Amino acid sequence: NDKSMANTKKHKADFENHQFKSDWTDCFCFILPDHAKAKPTCLICMQTVVVCKTDNLKRHFNTMHAASFNANYPPESDQRKQKIANMITSFKHSVSTISKSTSAQESATAASLQISWYLAKANKPFADAELMKSCAVAMVSEVLRHDEKQKKTVVELLQQVPLSANTATRRVEVLGTAFCFFAVSSSSDWAHNRGSHLYRTDSILCEEWLGCWQIVSIVTDGAPSVVEQHKGLVSRLSAINPALLAFHCIIHKSVLCAKLCGKMQETMDTVTRLVNFVHENSSLQHRLFRAMLDEISAEHKDLLLHNDVRWLSKGRVLERVCDLRDELASFLSTLQSQRAQEFKIFLIDNDMMGYVFFLCDIMSHLNCLNLQLQGKNHTVVDMYKAVEAFRSKVKLLEKDIQGRKLHFPRLREHCEKNNMGEDQVMQDFVSSLAKNFYECFECTPKLSSDILLFLRQPFSVSADGQWTAEAKKVWPSIDEAALQMEVLEMGTSDVLKAQHRDVGVKDFWINMVPQARFKNTRGIAMLLLTMFPSTYICESSFSSMNSIKNQDRNRLSNAHLDQCLRIATTEYRPDIRNLENLLKI
């Protein structure tokens, strides 16, 4: 049949493994080079034959060289042996020279790729590649100035590295393309063929900036400025995919829960105006304040500015004002303006400063939560677990503010020093904070606590519980009956239980749970692991994009911007040597 004929042809071309015989060199002037996949090479004309067989070599020699070569160098003669030996020496010398040249060129190309990679990681222009070469040459010249021979050798090697702006551009194109290929390499359970910040490779779960294919989950911060004139993004996507999982960014939601109002907002506004007054009233005033802090060796050298976009700045501004309270009051007393005196009165008012110290303490707790939620490689389960722990902490804070204030150290010290009692405004704020966190994070649309518990503790859930029906709603294509059976089977596996105790959640589901036996359980786990928990990666990528495409790089194309952005935001490091075959030198 056709299949057997195809296999026969392939056998003739690929599977015959004839060994090269040493006497072929004397008879036919052929040599077998010493490298992988080498073919017999004629020492006279440097042509090669495909199949290593006597007939092929003999046919080539008799057809091309036999008459003239045998006439000048008769068989078995000393002249013939000497001539062949000379040709072998010349051939090896040529191969060595070409090999060294190729190796030097490959090293220069690899160095060029390395420099282009670092440029893209640092969001630098392509033209800076030549500057880096100049810097490298200058450093070598200084470091090796006492060794002229070595300096000359190293400088010559550096000069061979191609680092023009156009070359750096081509290198970034190759690196960006190679990264894209790596990121979307097909896998049997790779995020179920959907695009997200999280993707799975053979053994790890990575979080990067990727493109978009089929959307199954979306997280937003609800900011109208992002959607511009196109409103209703989630509803439009839901119309296309009714099973779409839509969430409000967990970090944004936690910040909204701690939104200030009433007396607390008034206090925060006053502190912000105070800091702005010291900083911005006049440059001379700001310099005098810093000089005073430096002269008295204060704990800090300056005040910090508050920015609503930076979630941690509110707590840090309050901390700095609290630490420099006495220094600020002393400095303001030297100023003659009415505003300075008003701020001084604010700083020496124990009641108002009580609110400042309270806000400083409560913001320190909120900043700890915010830092836990920020960063890469946080799954939706990790973030909800952190929020769940903070909800318990807020309940403790609600009781503590009415008692010993153990978790409000600044406020406790201030109250003890000034014999101040309890304040209902502070108690109401903590109670409101606890209520907001309870209401905002108690009910998660389409994602119950039992499903999240299954991902963290798969051996603690019941197979016939309601959560499997909820899992069916999250992933409509899942086989609920098979899911229940797989959960029961996992519960009886001592091996999986032991592995679950020894490794993390992601490693367990990716590397320990067999795909063939636990298709549905592993599928729902991968769905949760690759789900969007927040907009952190997206917003940090926007920051990188603004840094890359600045006003001095206004000619940067969208394709190059995309490649630079991928390189700048990825934690994946390509094998530079394996990328050389992608270059067209």
Side-chain angles (χ1 to χ4, degrees):
N1 54 23
D2 294 338
K3 185 176 181 180
S4 63
M5 292 177 64
N7 289 337
T8 301
K9 292 180 181 179
K10 187 175 183 180
H11 173 76
K12 282 185 177 182
D14 300 328
F15 293 108
E16 290 186 355
N17 186 21
H18 297 280
Q19 297 296 322
F20 186 85
K21 298 179 182 180
S22 58
D23 59 348
W24 290 348
T25 302
D26 296 330
C27 296
F28 312 121
C29 297
F30 268 85
I31 189 174
L32 186 67
D34 186 18
H35 60 80
K37 298 182 180 180
K39 298 178 182 179
T41 304
C42 177
L43 291 170
I44 302 174
C45 65
M46 299 302 168
Q47 292 187 11
T48 60
V49 295
V50 177
V51 181
C52 187
K53 293 175 62 176
T54 303
D55 293 341
N56 292 3
L57 275 63
K58 182 178 180 180
R59 184 184 305 111
H60 173 84
F61 179 76
N62 290 337
T63 303
M64 305 293 295
H65 312 296
S68 59
F69 192 80
N70 289 336
N72 295 326
Y73 307 100
E76 305 298 334
S77 65
D78 293 338
Q79 294 87 347
R80 185 187 185 97
K81 293 179 181 179
Q82 185 62 39
K83 177 61 176 178
I84 292 176
N86 292 339
M87 288 192 298
I88 292 174
T89 301
S90 178
F91 175 80
K92 290 183 177 179
H93 178 72
S94 300
V95 170
S96 176
T97 302
I98 294 173
S99 177
K100 289 181 180 179
S101 176
T102 303
S103 177
Q105 188 177 30
E106 289 176 350
S107 297
T109 302
S112 178
L113 283 166
Q114 290 278 13
I115 296 299
S116 300
W117 173 264
Y118 284 117
L119 280 176
K121 289 292 288 184
N123 302 334
K124 297 299 182 181
F126 302 138
D128 284 0
E130 281 288 356
L131 174 62
M132 296 184 72
K133 182 199 284 189
S134 301
C135 292
V137 171
M139 286 190 294
V140 169
S141 299
E142 289 298 324
V143 172
L144 300 177
R145 66 181 182 274
H146 299 303
D147 191 340
E148 288 296 330
K149 184 177 180 180
Q150 187 177 3
K151 182 180 77 172
K152 181 179 178 181
T153 302
V154 176
V155 169
E156 287 178 353
L157 290 174
L158 291 175
Q159 293 289 4
Q160 293 175 8
V161 179
L163 285 176
S164 67
N166 291 336
T167 301
T169 303
R170 293 195 300 271
R171 299 295 188 259
V172 168
E173 290 173 355
V174 172
L175 291 165
T177 303
F179 168 69
C180 295
F181 176 78
F182 175 88
V184 301
S185 58
S186 60
S187 178
S188 57
D189 58 354
W190 174 77
H192 307 293
N193 196 29
R194 61 182 182 277
S196 70
H197 295 311
L198 286 162
Y199 64 89
R200 180 193 180 279
T201 64
D202 291 337
S203 60
I204 59 174
L205 196 70
C206 304
E207 186 172 27
E208 307 291 356
W209 175 271
L210 299 182
C212 185
W213 287 267
Q214 176 187 352
I215 301 178
V216 300
S217 67
I218 184 172
V219 60
T220 67
D221 59 3
S225 58
V226 175
V227 297
E228 296 180 348
Q229 75 272 24
H230 303 290
K231 298 183 179 180
L233 173 64
V234 175
S235 60
R236 294 186 183 202
L237 291 175
S238 299
I240 300 173
N241 180 14
L244 179 72
L245 298 174
F247 300 95
H248 191 180
C249 171
I250 296 177
I251 302 179
H252 281 85
K253 198 189 309 187
S254 67
V255 173
L256 290 176
C257 289
K259 189 174 182 179
L260 301 179
C261 61
K263 191 66 176 179
M264 295 304 161
Q265 183 62 53
E266 178 185 341
T267 302
M268 187 68 221
D269 290 342
T270 303
V271 171
T272 303
R273 288 195 299 270
L274 167 60
V275 173
N276 291 340
F277 173 76
V278 175
H279 266 271
E280 301 175 359
N281 189 51
S282 73
S283 57
L284 174 61
Q285 177 177 291
H286 187 205
R287 288 198 302 272
L288 290 174
F289 176 69
R290 288 185 297 172
M292 184 199 73
L293 295 179
D294 185 62
E295 181 180 352
I296 64 177
S297 300
E299 184 178 356
H300 305 289
K301 301 300 181 183
D302 200 359
L303 296 173
L304 296 178
L305 291 172
H306 167 51
N307 188 336
D308 280 329
V309 177
R310 300 183 181 274
W311 294 318
L312 304 178
S313 66
K314 190 178 295 183
R316 290 173 177 172
V317 168
L318 289 166
E319 288 179 1
R320 192 63 62 89
V321 170
C322 291
D323 291 338
L324 298 176
R325 177 192 180 189
D326 295 337
E327 291 82 355
L328 273 169
S330 176
F331 177 74
L332 292 172
S333 64
T334 64
L335 304 179
Q336 302 301 321
S337 66
Q338 182 179 354
R339 291 184 63 195
Q341 299 308 310
E342 291 175 355
F343 287 130
K344 177 186 174 182
I345 294 173
F346 172 78
L347 288 172
I348 62 177
D349 188 332
N350 289 330
D351 291 335
M352 294 303 300
M353 286 305 299
Y355 294 128
V356 175
F357 287 122
F358 166 75
L359 281 177
C360 184
D361 288 331
I362 197 67
M363 287 300 167
S364 67
H365 295 294
L366 290 167
N367 281 359
C368 287
L369 171 64
N370 203 287
L371 287 172
Q372 284 183 282
L373 299 179
Q374 292 187 45
K376 287 187 175 183
N377 300 322
H378 289 330
T379 65
V380 65
V381 178
D382 296 331
M383 298 186 75
Y384 269 107
K385 187 177 180 180
V387 172
E388 183 180 348
F390 186 77
R391 289 169 63 188
S392 301
K393 294 178 183 178
V394 174
K395 292 180 181 179
L396 177 62
L397 296 177
E398 189 176 8
K399 296 179 180 178
D400 186 56
I401 190 65
Q402 302 174 12
R404 295 185 294 169
K405 300 179 178 59
L406 294 176
H407 301 282
F408 298 88
R410 293 178 185 270
L411 177 62
R412 182 181 71 249
E413 181 181 356
H414 180 72
C415 292
E416 291 174 354
K417 184 177 179 180
N418 298 282
N419 296 320
M420 297 178 62
E422 297 181 358
D423 188 283
Q424 189 62 40
V425 175
M426 301 178 189
Q427 296 177 12
D428 291 343
F429 180 84
V430 179
S431 299
S432 175
L433 184 66
K435 180 181 178 182
N436 290 342
F437 269 91
Y438 179 82
E439 292 178 350
C440 290
F441 291 98
E442 179 64 18
C443 299
T444 306
K446 296 185 179 181
L447 197 62
S448 67
S449 58
D450 289 336
I451 296 180
L452 298 178
L453 177 63
F454 160 73
L455 186 64
R456 298 199 311 262
Q457 300 291 338
F459 307 103
S460 301
V461 297
S462 174
D464 56 352
Q466 181 63 26
W467 76 272
T468 58
E470 295 170 349
K472 178 72 174 178
K473 296 178 182 178
V474 174
W475 188 13
S477 61
I478 199 172
D479 187 339
E480 185 180 355
L483 174 64
Q484 293 181 347
M485 292 297 183
E486 290 175 13
V487 171
L488 290 174
E489 185 177 353
M490 285 186 64
T492 61
S493 175
D494 295 333
V495 174
L496 290 177
K497 289 180 180 179
Q499 292 173 338
H500 184 265
R501 290 192 296 267
D502 296 337
V503 300
V505 173
K506 288 184 280 190
D507 288 338
F508 173 74
W509 286 109
I510 294 172
N511 300 321
M512 304 302 175
V513 180
Q515 167 72 14
R517 288 175 55 194
F518 302 101
K519 177 181 178 181
N520 293 278
T521 51
R522 200 166 183 269
I524 193 67
M526 292 304 300
L527 173 67
L528 296 174
L529 288 174
T530 55
M531 191 173 291
F532 291 89
S534 74
T535 61
Y536 176 85
I537 301 298
C538 182
E539 293 183 3
S540 62
S541 297
F542 282 144
S543 298
S544 298
M545 182 179 66
N546 291 333
S547 178
I548 294 170
K549 194 168 185 177
N550 53 45
Q551 61 181 3
D552 296 326
R553 302 183 72 181
N554 51 17
R555 292 168 56 187
L556 189 68
S557 67
N558 289 335
H560 289 152
L561 173 62
D562 179 69
Q563 291 155 359
C564 290
L565 185 59
R566 290 178 184 275
I567 295 173
T569 57
T570 185
E571 294 178 358
Y572 163 68
R573 180 64 184 272
D575 187 343
I576 297 297
R577 290 288 180 176
N578 288 338
L579 292 180
E580 292 177 9
N581 59 346
L582 297 178
L583 291 171
K584 297 180 180 179
I585 303 174

